[in-house]
Amino acid sequence: MGLFSKKAKVNIENFPPIGGLMVSKMIVEEHKKPMFLYRDKRSRPEDSGWRIFSGFESDEYANDPNNAGIYNPSTILAIDSSIAELLLKGGFGSAFERESDKSPWYKVTDFQVEDDYMVRHRLTEDWELEINNLFERRKEGNGDLFYTTGDKSLRMAIWNDNKAKLDIFKKHQEYIVNRDESQTKTLKTFDFSDDEVARIGYKIKESDENREYNVIYGFSIVDKQYIQIALYFDNDEDETWAIETWKGIKLAKK
């Protein structure tokens, strides 16, 4: 069964302002249906990152910028509303295709966009993070660092503490064991400690008015300091991403 195969009503005029779509003119001018789309990392805020094709484009045609245009989502959804949920849920690096305009959409797993590679970010003098380049980064008003691709996100805060690593570890371990589960049940607990960094955390599900999603809350601890993290992901299979990203928070090499 394909992704998002159930038809839902789409309010085209009030579609969320996700930014412009780069669309093949075969779709807009020759009235062919979208058959393949992917989301690249956007280069500017008004760009959604979505690139949409009919599947009939040759390499020569697709490589000519005159054969594509930037369109408002409502313009393309009026042509084919089946991509609405893909546009809202697909993160940077996502790709989808279908066999015909009557077929459901499938996620493509063997397509790699240009910006899909690992990078190392220096967080502070003491900490660094290895993360995929597709993630956008910003510093929030409260000082937290926030990374997101749209469907996966990481938020972190760095705290000073005058205690030794073991004492900080025990404090958070006690919190996890005794946390109030009346609202959200602990689904898993984690301990990925190594010789340098103690790592402890837990997984729950949270929800908002639109969807339910997974969250791993964790702590990366050294003497007198720890990083508090929250890793958000919609799909269960992205738990591996969350764990590896958490492990990618390390003491910076000096």
Side-chain angles (χ1 to χ4, degrees):
M1 185 176 179
L3 294 169
F4 316 124
S5 57
K6 292 182 180 179
K7 291 185 178 180
K9 292 183 179 180
V10 178
N11 190 331
I12 293 175
E13 296 304 320
N14 293 319
F15 196 77
I18 63 172
L21 315 176
M22 191 187 81
V23 184
S24 166
K25 289 185 178 178
M26 283 192 176
I27 294 172
V28 179
E29 297 179 1
E30 299 181 30
H31 309 294
K32 297 186 185 298
K33 293 287 188 177
M35 299 294 289
F36 176 73
L37 67 159
Y38 69 90
R39 193 177 190 191
D40 211 344
K41 187 176 182 179
R42 57 189 173 190
S43 57
R44 54 195 185 279
E46 62 270 23
D47 175 21
S48 70
W50 283 110
R51 317 300 185 225
I52 305 175
F53 301 90
S54 71
F56 290 95
E57 295 85 358
S58 65
D59 289 343
E60 182 179 6
Y61 183 98
N63 290 332
D64 186 343
N66 294 316
N67 292 327
I70 306 299
Y71 299 91
N72 189 287
S74 60
T75 301
I76 307 307
L77 291 173
I79 297 171
D80 191 338
S81 64
S82 73
I83 65 172
E85 201 165 358
L86 304 180
L87 297 180
L88 292 176
K89 292 189 175 181
F92 302 129
S94 298
F96 301 94
E97 66 181 354
R98 58 182 175 175
E99 295 176 359
S100 74
D101 60 7
K102 307 296 183 185
S103 302
W105 288 95
Y106 290 87
K107 189 170 186 177
V108 180
T109 58
D110 59 353
F111 180 83
Q112 186 174 3
V113 300
E114 183 177 349
D115 284 309
D116 186 358
Y117 55 87
M118 300 301 291
V119 293
R120 195 178 299 273
H121 286 177
R122 195 68 173 252
L123 303 175
T124 68
E125 183 179 343
D126 299 314
W127 295 96
E128 63 184 15
L129 167 66
E130 188 174 20
I131 194 166
N132 196 292
N133 182 60
L134 289 169
F135 281 78
E136 292 184 336
R137 171 182 172 172
R138 69 173 183 262
K139 190 171 184 178
E140 301 194 307
N142 61 1
D144 289 358
L145 287 175
F146 184 71
Y147 290 80
T148 188
T149 59
D151 58 346
K152 299 187 289 292
S153 301
L154 164 64
R155 176 178 281 108
M156 68 180 78
I158 302 173
W159 300 94
N160 293 318
D161 195 312
N162 61 5
K163 299 182 179 65
K165 177 169 68 173
L166 182 59
D167 292 330
I168 302 172
F169 178 88
K170 287 180 177 179
K171 177 180 71 174
H172 291 298
Q173 184 181 51
E174 182 178 353
Y175 165 76
I176 292 169
V177 170
N178 297 312
R179 66 177 295 271
D180 181 6
E181 298 197 5
S182 59
Q183 298 297 320
T184 54
K185 182 180 179 181
T186 300
L187 301 175
K188 288 184 180 180
T189 59
F190 307 98
D191 185 344
F192 299 120
S193 301
D194 57 34
D195 292 340
E196 287 191 325
V197 181
R199 298 180 183 87
I200 190 170
Y202 61 97
K203 175 184 175 182
I204 61 173
K205 281 190 179 290
E206 294 183 351
S207 61
D208 56 29
E209 59 184 12
N210 298 315
R211 73 194 197 285
E212 184 179 62
Y213 50 91
N214 301 285
V215 189
I216 291 179
Y217 289 104
F219 305 92
S220 297
I221 305 163
V222 295
D223 287 336
K224 299 184 178 181
Q225 194 174 71
Y226 64 93
I227 295 183
Q228 183 178 350
I229 62 170
L231 300 125
Y232 306 90
F233 51 103
D234 292 338
N235 301 315
D236 290 338
E237 59 265 29
D238 287 326
E239 182 176 309
T240 299
W241 160 80
I243 291 171
E244 291 306 311
T245 300
W246 179 9
K247 291 179 180 179
I249 301 172
K250 300 178 180 179
L251 290 175
K253 293 180 173 62
K254 298 180 179 180

